[in-house]
Amino acid sequence: MTDTTFRFQSKFPKIGIRPTIDGRRKGVRESLEEQTMEMAKSVAKLFAENLRYPNGEPVECVIADTCIGGVAESAACADKFLREGVGVSLTVTPCWCYGTETMDMDASIPKAVWGFNGTERPGAVYLAAVLSGYAQKGLPAFGIYGNHVQDAGDTSIPDDVRDKLLGFAKAGLVVAYMRGKSYLSMGSVSMGIAGSIVNDQFFQEYLGMRTEYIDMSEFVRRMDEGIYDGEEFERALVWVKANCIEGADNNAESMRTTREQKDQDWETVVKMTQIARDLMVGNSRLDELGFGEEAMGHNAIVSGFQGQRQWTDHFPNGDFMEAILNSSFDWNGIRAPYMVATENDSLNGTVMLFGYLLTNTAQIFADVRTYWSPESVERVTGHKLDGFAENGILHLINSGSATLDGNGEQSRDGQPAMKPFWEISEQEAQQCLDATSWRPASVEYFRGGGYSSDYLTRGGMPMTMSRINLVKGIGPVLQIAEGYSVDLPEHVHETLDKRTDSTWPTTWFAPIITGEGAFHSVYEVMDNWGANHGSISYGHIGADLITLASMLRIPVSMHNVSEENIFRPRAWGLFGTNNQESADYRACQNFGPLYK
């Protein structure tokens, strides 16, 4: 039995669609019934065709049984949504409706209104009226209104409306899916890193999640008492020996471990991987083995492993465990990645979770380690940076916990990519494995040994780096930097890489520079980054992250997303329109955490 049994044990949230209508009978409502319901059906079709849950299945929509013309039908719709497990609410209408009688009043569900831009009926008037009502009642809602007038019989969804519908729905589903899940803290604070001081209030009030805690001694107990699937372990060990290439040992001769110890370390790190997964999501096989309590897991969609130093001074490090779990494949085949934060950095784990749920792809965990200016690169290597890298690059590197998907050996349209697991071929998974070597851990860092993954990310991938920081007096603050992975000539990479720990995976990242604020230069990006870690997602998802952050009432302190792509609740404009960043802070402070 594999992890798939308990992996997605809870139902996925559905999108509820509310067709609202002018309630006046004897001609008005009757003339609008078909058009209004068709709007709802067209949006449901759009979502089902373009959005998927983390397990790869199409997103499900629930449409109200009737058009909503007044409070009785609104209440009936709310009852249906509650029964059906709706976590996101979209109201659609081509006409005037009675605002406060037809609006969705559930404060915990992300909501939007699409008001049809047509001249025959005043859909835009209802949109403005109901959004005013939402703002007045403290229920921020997104407004969707097309740029161009459509004819009354036009059932198509314009591209600009389509983009906003999908952007809202993607972010709303993230909010809904996180609610009620757990962050599992495996261990405690790592080396004084503030992000690993797991903040229960943040997870509860902003994300609707609980925090679960275990001591790292639980790994020892489960290994010593055999609380893992022994058959899976034997199969996993065979797979590891066949697919995980052991690299050169960089330790000084006097500090290298014996072959016997290295083989024992492989066995330990494989068991650690099984145990961490079982701790997160459970495993029915453990129940069959007589461990009913352990079989349940902690309902965790994200976790963190302290590791350093109380664990790694004595036991093999968590690099293999974290890298494999964060990847889209292991000895059980191709599957959805898990989110496991190195050094129990729960804040970096949070943005890993955001990126994963928005894209269904694996996320790279990395140190934001070094800014290399064009002048420094040329001085050290003689090479002049060009292309995306012409303004300088960031060296993203950390002990080998980064997802193996991150080496870019998957492809889309002939270009390197990171893809949802259902799009990854067996050949691509093997290429990711073949492009990774497992280097015996540097015992100066990791006295207990272990293995660190070592690879180089292929250039040319659009990427988004993000980070959440907690600020006393403000709360959580999100940072975003869109950019590209870049290729460097081999001798340049080797020269720069060897100046740090070359047993770890490297991503050379070039943020997109706007010439303003924190994106005036690559140096300013590095200088304004709020912590030592960042999460890197495939694709330019900054706009989606901003939309998601506004739903959760988390302000964004720096980003390089084009202003025309930013989509927040309509009420944000009431906090000022000249400086969106400042308005975002005021709106988030005013409305407060979503679950407080």
Side-chain angles (χ1 to χ4, degrees):
M1 189 73 66
T2 69
D3 60 304
T4 57
T5 304
F6 281 12
R7 180 68 194 275
F8 300 114
Q9 56 183 308
S10 60
K11 293 182 179 179
F12 291 107
K14 300 174 184 177
I15 301 176
I17 303 177
R18 308 172 72 254
T20 57
I21 199 166
D22 190 325
R24 287 172 285 198
R25 305 278 180 165
K26 299 183 179 180
V28 177
R29 176 167 179 158
E30 291 83 352
S31 69
L32 293 164
E33 289 275 5
E34 183 178 356
Q35 182 187 2
T36 304
M37 191 58 77
E38 284 304 314
M39 279 184 72
K41 292 177 180 178
S42 67
V43 175
K45 183 173 184 289
L46 173 73
F47 290 158
E49 290 177 347
N50 290 275
L51 301 176
R52 293 205 192 189
Y53 293 123
N55 66 351
E57 295 178 359
V59 163
E60 291 186 53
C61 295
V62 177
I63 301 175
D65 291 334
T66 68
C67 290
I68 300 169
V71 68
E73 289 165 319
S74 184
C77 174
D79 287 343
K80 180 177 183 179
F81 283 5
L82 186 62
R83 292 193 306 271
E84 294 284 344
V86 165
V88 184
S89 168
L90 173 69
T91 298
V92 300
T93 187
C95 61
W96 167 254
C97 316
Y98 302 156
T100 58
E101 296 182 24
T102 60
M103 67 194 300
D104 175 6
M105 295 289 288
D106 190 327
S108 65
I109 291 182
K111 49 186 59 63
V113 183
W114 173 25
F116 186 78
N117 186 357
T119 56
E120 289 81 1
R121 298 285 184 175
V125 178
Y126 169 71
L127 177 64
V130 77
L131 289 174
S132 172
Y134 277 125
Q136 187 169 325
K137 292 177 180 294
L139 303 171
F142 290 77
I144 300 172
Y145 182 63
N147 272 296
H148 306 293
V149 174
Q150 293 179 259
D151 298 331
D154 187 353
T155 59
S156 66
I157 301 177
D159 288 344
D160 61 323
V161 172
R162 177 184 185 275
D163 290 344
K164 287 185 175 181
L165 286 169
L166 290 174
F168 163 76
K170 278 193 292 185
L173 285 167
V174 174
V175 174
Y177 187 56
M178 289 190 298
R179 188 182 305 129
K181 303 299 192 305
S182 304
Y183 177 91
L184 175 61
S185 174
M186 298 183 288
S188 184
V189 180
S190 173
M191 301 184 296
I193 294 172
S196 61
I197 304 173
V198 181
N199 189 299
D200 181 82
Q201 184 179 10
F202 162 65
F203 281 97
Q204 176 183 326
E205 295 185 356
Y206 283 90
L207 309 184
M209 293 173 56
R210 69 175 72 217
T211 45
E212 291 281 285
Y213 306 86
I214 61 114
D215 189 90
M216 289 183 293
S217 63
E218 178 66 4
F219 282 81
V220 180
R221 183 180 80 91
R222 294 197 181 203
M223 285 189 282
D224 287 351
E225 297 183 19
I227 309 176
Y228 58 89
D229 185 344
E231 292 179 3
E232 182 188 12
F233 168 71
E234 295 298 337
R235 176 163 43 85
L237 201 58
V238 170
W239 181 88
V240 165
K241 290 178 179 178
N243 294 281
C244 297
I245 304 164
E246 187 175 316
D249 191 336
N250 277 25
N251 291 293
E253 189 72 38
S254 61
M255 302 179 73
R256 292 179 184 174
T257 57
T258 63
R259 182 68 257 168
E260 181 181 16
Q261 183 61 54
K262 285 183 169 67
D263 291 341
Q264 185 175 325
D265 284 355
W266 275 119
E267 295 184 9
T268 300
V269 298
V270 168
K271 291 176 185 177
M272 288 170 63
T273 306
Q274 290 181 259
I275 290 168
R277 180 204 65 204
D278 294 348
L279 282 164
M280 287 181 69
V281 301
N283 187 345
S284 62
R285 175 67 176 144
L286 297 184
D287 193 25
E288 297 171 12
L289 296 172
F291 303 107
E293 181 182 357
E294 292 85 350
M296 300 303 295
H298 290 265
N299 194 34
I301 53 172
V302 58
S303 69
F305 181 69
Q306 175 191 340
Q308 298 183 70
R309 290 182 41 221
Q310 285 80 355
W311 180 271
T312 57
D313 278 3
H314 184 66
F315 293 102
N317 64 21
D319 289 358
F320 178 85
M321 172 188 77
E322 294 161 2
I324 290 296
L325 289 176
N326 279 322
S327 299
S328 300
F329 43 83
D330 60 16
W331 45 84
N332 290 315
I334 297 171
R335 44 89 178 138
Y338 297 83
M339 297 296 110
V340 184
T342 300
E343 293 155 356
N344 200 24
D345 187 344
S346 61
L347 298 180
N348 216 55
T350 297
V351 283
M352 289 174 71
L353 180 62
F354 288 177
Y356 165 57
L357 292 178
L358 284 170
T359 66
N360 289 315
T361 60
Q363 306 291 300
I364 299 174
F365 183 110
D367 274 353
V368 185
R369 182 160 293 222
T370 309
Y371 161 63
W372 278 98
S373 67
E375 296 80 7
S376 295
V377 173
E378 189 167 10
R379 177 182 63 82
V380 171
T381 68
H383 175 71
K384 187 175 180 63
L385 294 174
D386 56 11
F388 291 131
E390 65 178 349
N391 296 306
I393 51 178
L394 300 180
H395 193 180
L396 307 181
I397 180 174
N398 195 25
S399 64
S401 60
T403 172
L404 272 59
D405 301 54
N407 55 30
E409 292 297 325
Q410 301 161 26
S411 64
R412 180 176 286 137
D413 300 325
Q415 298 299 312
M418 296 168 64
K419 302 192 294 189
F421 77 91
W422 58 83
E423 294 182 16
I424 300 172
S425 68
E426 294 286 351
Q427 180 181 353
E428 287 174 319
Q430 191 62 53
Q431 287 170 183
C432 290
L433 288 162
D434 292 344
T436 305
S437 66
W438 296 91
R439 308 289 293 276
S442 171
V443 294
E444 289 182 345
Y445 280 105
F446 306 115
R447 299 173 186 173
Y451 293 93
S452 297
S453 62
D454 181 25
Y455 65 72
L456 174 62
T457 299
R458 295 179 63 188
M461 288 197 288
M463 291 182 143
T464 302
M465 184 168 73
S466 60
R467 169 74 192 184
I468 277 185
N469 300 288
L470 289 179
V471 182
K472 186 175 178 61
I474 297 177
V477 174
L478 178 65
Q479 296 179 301
I480 301 166
E482 294 184 338
Y484 293 89
S485 63
V486 297
D487 290 320
L488 299 178
E490 185 175 357
H491 78 279
V492 177
H493 163 70
E494 289 290 334
T495 300
L496 303 184
D497 198 46
K498 286 181 178 177
R499 291 173 69 104
T500 185
D501 195 313
S502 59
T503 68
W504 297 343
T506 280
T507 302
W508 297 109
F509 178 66
I512 296 170
I513 300 306
T514 66
E516 298 179 355
F519 292 89
H520 178 76
S521 66
V522 178
Y523 169 82
E524 292 292 336
V525 175
M526 178 76 176
D527 198 39
N528 281 280
W529 205 247
N532 52 313
H533 293 149
S535 174
I536 300 88
S537 181
Y538 175 79
H540 288 159
I541 64 167
D544 290 334
L545 285 167
I546 290 173
T547 298
L548 172 60
S550 67
M551 291 179 178
L552 299 169
R553 321 288 198 260
I554 298 174
V556 180
S557 64
M558 62 178 278
H559 69 81
N560 55 351
V561 178
S562 299
E563 191 169 305
E564 61 269 20
N565 293 329
I566 296 174
F567 190 36
R568 289 186 172 111
R570 181 68 64 84
W572 262 236
L574 301 176
F575 292 85
T577 57
N578 288 333
N579 187 322
Q580 289 194 21
E581 185 173 293
S582 178
D584 183 31
Y585 272 80
R586 290 195 297 273
C588 289
Q589 182 180 38
N590 179 74
F591 291 115
L594 183 58
Y595 301 103
K596 188 172 182 179

